[in-house]
Amino acid sequence: MKERIRQAAEMIQEQSALRPRVGLILGSGLGILAEEIEGAVAIPYEEIPHFPVSTVEGHVGRLVLGELEGQRVVAMQGRFHLYEGYPLESVTFPIRVMKRLGVETALITNAAGGINESFQPGDLMLIRDHINFMFRNPLVGPNDPELGERFPDMSEAYDAELRRLARRVAGELGIDLKEGVYAAMLGPSYETPAEIRMLRAVGGDAVGMSTVPEVIVARHAGIRVLGLSCISNMAAGILPQPLSHEEVMETAERVKETFLRLVKGILHSLPRESD
Ligand code: HPA
């Protein structure tokens, strides 16, 4: 594993001398942010050793390095999902590579269904915590202490300081930022209404099919995490209409401007270089 991480990072460093501090994982419809990265070097996933290749419609597959709002960033334009059939190790491999490149903070975004009935499609939600209903953990197997500890603490998986910063930035920008618990399901079928009632009963505010594996590996690697969901639809059974990927993409498209403004505002306010 370490050798594969090293090979991938080495190839990336051959393409770009930039040492990124912030990793961006851009979910459905939000990859557009990567277009705004200055001095960008974009590397298609298929050119990076051991990287899996993205298959979902609306996801481009490339890693983009450069500067955004004065921060050195590496962005994943397109991410990998368990439901695509990738092993967890592949889904989370890019996080390991980001760590190796120097990333200290990860900003992870996704599209999610709203379980909390006070939410509306188009709302943005700061992830306070998650529930892993994928029932799989990317850290299963022998632990390499050089990558992280055997039993990483998850009591503050989503960094409290970064959450405060996100709330402050949203307030300054006049963006209404909801907050809640993200419940991760394996997918790819959407949930049933009964499943959504169950998720609500156990404290879920939004549901999606990504993010949790990456967050677990980021925490294992000692990367601080900020998570943001775009509530792209109300979860199953709340509204009379069926769910569709088209609705998810349409809503993401509709709120893109606000989402990008928030993410850029957060990047702008993140502490600068201390070295
Ligand atoms: N359920 C699961 N994943 C999702 C949803 C949903 O309703 N919307 C966007 N991603």
Side-chain angles (χ1 to χ4, degrees):
M1 165 94 120
K2 270 202 304 256
E3 181 55 19
R4 278 178 306 202
I5 296 167
R6 197 191 58 74
Q7 286 172 0
E10 200 165 89
M11 183 275 174
I12 295 162
Q13 283 162 334
E14 279 165 16
Q15 310 278 313
S16 165
L18 181 124
R19 196 168 158 81
R21 293 179 66 229
V22 180
L24 300 170
I25 299 177
L26 308 168
S28 304
L30 303 164
I32 188 83
L33 183 63
E35 313 288 340
E36 302 196 21
I37 294 175
E38 293 155 27
V41 171
I43 312 171
Y45 292 153
E46 58 265 28
E47 293 178 13
I48 307 173
H50 316 295
F51 249 60
V53 177
S54 184
T55 61
V56 188
E57 191 193 331
H59 290 245
V60 197
R62 50 188 209 155
L63 207 61
V64 185
L65 291 95
E67 290 214 14
L68 192 56
E69 296 294 325
Q71 301 282 356
R72 295 195 309 266
V73 302
V74 53
M76 280 185 78
Q77 206 175 11
R79 64 141 64 89
F80 306 106
H81 301 86
L82 270 185
Y83 64 72
E84 292 175 87
Y86 299 110
L88 271 168
E89 198 189 304
S90 306
V91 170
T92 55
F93 183 71
I95 308 287
R96 297 286 183 203
V97 175
M98 283 184 175
K99 172 73 183 181
R100 173 96 192 190
L101 293 173
V103 164
E104 297 160 4
T105 303
L107 213 158
I108 304 185
T109 73
N110 58 51
I115 298 174
N116 185 322
E117 287 177 292
S118 75
F119 293 174
Q120 283 178 14
D123 279 346
L124 303 183
M125 187 191 89
L126 178 62
I127 305 178
R128 185 193 320 125
D129 203 347
H130 74 223
I131 305 176
N132 185 1
F133 269 102
M134 291 172 163
F135 297 119
R136 294 170 194 204
N137 194 303
L139 306 180
V140 167
N143 187 59
D144 183 340
E146 280 182 34
L147 298 180
E149 57 185 316
R150 172 74 291 188
F151 303 110
D153 174 50
M154 294 292 285
S155 54
E156 208 189 88
Y158 300 83
D159 191 86
E161 203 180 310
L162 292 176
R163 278 187 283 135
R164 267 195 296 279
L165 182 136
R167 280 193 294 263
R168 176 171 61 74
V169 170
E172 285 166 4
L173 295 174
I175 296 170
D176 176 27
L177 184 60
K178 312 287 189 201
E179 187 165 338
V181 172
Y182 177 89
M185 300 286 273
L186 181 59
S189 51
Y190 288 116
E191 302 70 36
T192 63
E195 286 165 346
I196 293 304
R197 287 194 298 276
M198 172 194 73
L199 294 177
R200 184 182 299 121
V202 298
D205 295 294
V207 58
M209 306 172 191
S210 67
T211 301
V212 163
E214 291 109 312
V215 170
I216 292 172
V217 167
R219 292 310 301 138
H220 184 246
I223 296 173
R224 300 201 301 166
V225 174
L226 181 70
L228 292 170
S229 293
C230 163
I231 304 300
S232 55
N233 57 284
M234 291 315 285
I238 297 179
L239 299 176
Q241 77 256 25
L243 274 59
S244 73
H245 185 58
E246 286 66 42
E247 183 189 5
V248 170
M249 298 307 286
E250 275 167 28
T251 310
E253 181 65 28
R254 178 161 64 79
V255 297
K256 200 168 67 184
E257 291 304 317
T258 313
F259 209 163
L260 297 191
R261 224 156 37 88
L262 178 60
V263 171
K264 287 200 277 186
I266 291 169
L267 284 174
H268 188 82
S269 298
L270 277 179
R272 303 284 137 158
E273 216 65 34
S274 46
D275 50 327

